[in-house]
Amino acid sequence: MENVRDRKNESVSCGQDDGILARSMESADWMEQVRNLNTEHVLKTGKVRTYRLDVFGCQMNERDAETIAGMLTNMGYERVSPDQPADIIVFVTCCVRENAEERIYSHIGALSHECLKNGSFIVASGCMMQQPHVTEKIKKSFRHVKVVFGTHNIHEFPRLLCQYLTSGKRVLEVWEKEGRIIEDMPIKRRCRHKAWVNIVFGCNNFCAYCIVPYVRGRERSRKKEDVLAEIRALAADGCREVTLLGQNVNSYGNDLGVKDLFARLLYDIEEIDGIDRVRFTTSHPKDLSDSLIRAMKECKKVCEHLHLPFQAGSNRVLERMNRKYTREHYLDLVDRIRDAVPDIALTTDIIVGFPGETEEDFEDTLDLVRRVRFDSAFTFIYSPRKGTLAEKWEQTAPHEVISRRFKRLVEVQTEIATQLASKYEGKTVEVLVDGPSKTNPDMQSGRTRTGKLVNFRAEGDLTGQMLDVKIIRAGAFWLEGREVKRRG
Ligand code: 5AD
Ligand code: SF4
């Protein structure tokens, strides 16, 4: 059944899942139809149609982009690099802060000339598209965007694309609500040796500043057997590291009515041959359980790194943010985690300038940063988001004051990160190689178990190999090393 707001061409509609089974099967049929169109095109012109992907935001979006790439490959499209012309330009968008949205509008706008010149078009997807005011703006102001879908109907992309290709009319369809989880969609992974694996979609927490629950829906956990089957298949294909993904991985399984399922999942992954490293993100301090801490201690494959956003150091601000924990709880949690896993690297997210934040509140944030001593932190200036609880709350501090606070926080954190990194100098660490460094092509780069970026000089392509690397220089953001030996 369809619940369509507007049936006219170029409509923004919200077709909705209504218990229809075998959705991936349906997608497969639509993919076949587009594939046939593309085969005809190759026979006629000798040219393969191409796409490029522009991904914004978090790892969820990166993972969604792999599904979109998988569908496009299945439909006969070939991926080209970002600087090359393409028949389809796909945007996977983010709306977590206003500056992300502004950047996306400006990127999309700047492509109108290219689209006109090359006869190409834009497909816009992801979190930003879940907001009706955005799809309205796209519809009115960006005529070169021909296909739009949201986070809840990615699997419908082949149908929407087919509809556009055969009718020439723009197709904008966004589901208002989440549907059931669809397994077995095609995936084209970014690399072979490491992979993102979704375990839970959506979020139930409604932190006052955050748009995510509105654009990604309520929590839905994948079945443990499905997650394990995916990881086994990855291992058989040469994958060595998995990162389990969820807005709040600690509540994995709650919607299935199973307690402590996340910890149990970690023990099960521990048994999978071929997987050497397990990571997960993101954890919520209110839900991180003792059984998880025990699993992190006992499972040797679980890396010594935890991303644990604290957002604000003042109890008053935490309460207004609806975070449901106190600074005392957070500090106690950190102590318990460090007792269990002494060398663990801790990273975090911090928001500066939440409405009503006073100088004293901000000092509490700095104090917490100094006490915990994070290996690194993602720091953000608060950005009001449409539809969230805090959207209309009055901002009491002037912009210059907030900027100054932000700068101070970054200085304090960078100093701590530099001090902590210096401990790596002279040590030999295990590095899983990702390939040539993005900033220095003469070097290769990879990550330690603690998540630190390591650049080092070495002969040949070592992508996917596990090495022992001796650290010769350490900075706040990356380490420089020298290869000692290959582990395999
Ligand atoms: N303004 C600033 N930062 C935000 N984040 C989420 N919403 C906002 C917002 N409205 C930050 C939080 C979250 C991270 C992914 O983005 O710190 O943990
Ligand atoms: Fe946003 Fe809070 Fe959910 Fe994280 S836990 S996605 S910050 S609402």
Side-chain angles (χ1 to χ4, degrees), residues 444-463:
Q444 311 240 359
S445 75
R447 300 253 168 202
T448 63
R449 285 177 62 93
T450 52
K452 274 267 171 205
L453 179 65
V454 181
N455 289 336
F456 59 97
R457 267 172 229 286
E459 294 291 318
D461 184 3
L462 301 174
T463 306

Side-chain angles (χ1 to χ4, degrees), residues 70 74 104 120 156 172 190 201 299 396 402 408 413 434 448:
N74 187 302
I104 291 163
S120 47
E156 294 218 302
L172 292 81
R190 222 178 31 135
F201 300 94
C299 297
T396 41
I402 293 173
R408 272 175 73 199
Q413 173 52 37
D434 287 325
T448 63

Side-chain angles (χ1 to χ4, degrees), residues 326-343:
T326 59
R327 60 182 275 122
E328 291 76 19
H329 171 83
Y330 188 92
L331 288 166
D332 177 60
L333 187 57
V334 165
D335 283 346
R336 285 186 284 132
I337 292 164
R338 283 188 167 145
D339 276 348
V341 188
D343 291 327

Side-chain angles (χ1 to χ4, degrees), residues 379-410:
T379 46
F380 307 105
I381 291 185
Y382 170 70
S383 162
R385 304 284 61 215
K386 208 176 168 68
T388 58
L389 294 170
E391 179 197 351
K392 303 234 158 66
W393 293 358
E394 203 188 326
Q395 185 55 272
T396 41
H399 183 69
E400 306 77 65
V401 171
I402 293 173
S403 298
R404 232 177 297 133
R405 285 180 194 162
F406 182 77
K407 238 182 107 207
R408 272 175 73 199
L409 173 64
V410 171

Side-chain angles (χ1 to χ4, degrees), residues 351-368:
I351 297 177
V352 177
F354 188 70
E357 181 191 81
T358 62
E359 203 55 34
E360 209 184 329
D361 292 324
F362 175 67
E363 286 296 338
D364 283 345
T365 292
L366 279 185
D367 179 69
L368 201 144

Side-chain angles (χ1 to χ4, degrees), residues 96-97 209-210 309 311 349-351 380-385:
V96 82
R97 281 169 296 278
Y209 49 82
C210 188
Q311 313 294 3
D349 293 345
I350 310 167
I351 297 177
F380 307 105
I381 291 185
Y382 170 70
S383 162
R385 304 284 61 215

Side-chain angles (χ1 to χ4, degrees), residues 64-131:
D64 284 352
E66 292 182 338
T67 299
I68 291 169
M71 291 191 275
L72 283 163
T73 307
N74 187 302
M75 290 187 281
Y77 290 90
E78 232 167 55
R79 187 168 184 168
V80 294
S81 57
D83 53 345
Q84 281 184 292
D87 293 295
I88 303 182
I89 305 154
V90 183
F91 279 77
V92 185
T93 62
C94 168
C95 56
V96 82
R97 281 169 296 278
E98 193 183 359
N99 56 5
E101 284 197 349
E102 291 305 326
R103 243 172 356 117
I104 291 163
Y105 280 136
S106 102
H107 277 238
I108 291 180
L111 288 170
S112 72
H113 179 67
E114 180 185 331
C115 287
L116 205 65
K117 195 176 81 188
N118 301 343
S120 47
F121 63 92
I122 289 180
V123 171
S125 69
C127 296
M128 207 172 144
M129 300 304 132
Q130 285 298 137
Q131 307 171 98

